[in-house]
Amino acid sequence: MARREWSCQRCHVVLGRITADRLGRDHLRLYAARISAVQPSVASSAVITCLCGMRRTFRGYEVHIEGDRDEAA
């Protein structure tokens, strides 16, 4: 499964990674310690707020929030 990093556009910290499932749908796997909010938006999108206050929109299938133990993976 291919992975791409997903970063804040202001402070450049990695907020999570994007993976694709077997059907080719993008999933965003966020690191809980690096975000302050996740707000569902229109269908198949969410607004993610970094700890620095910058907001970024993810357009994909689903957003998952993972604990600190998963950051090293």
Side-chain angles (χ1 to χ4, degrees):
M1 181 183 322
R3 296 180 181 186
R4 301 184 311 261
E5 288 186 345
W6 203 72
S7 304
C8 175
Q9 295 173 329
R10 179 187 295 162
C11 68
H12 305 288
V13 69
V14 176
L15 300 175
R17 64 191 186 281
I18 298 174
T19 60
D21 63 16
R22 293 180 184 185
L23 299 175
R25 301 174 298 196
D26 286 340
H27 293 253
L28 177 59
R29 301 186 184 283
L30 295 169
Y31 303 132
R34 299 182 184 176
I35 59 169
S36 63
V38 177
Q39 300 170 329
S41 188
V42 295
S44 297
S45 71
V47 177
I48 288 66
T49 306
C50 178
L51 290 176
C52 74
M54 180 72 177
R55 291 180 176 196
R56 187 164 179 202
T57 302
F58 170 73
R59 289 178 179 81
Y61 184 68
E62 195 167 338
V63 175
H64 308 272
I65 300 174
E66 300 180 348
D68 296 334
R69 61 180 173 78
D70 296 323
E71 288 186 30

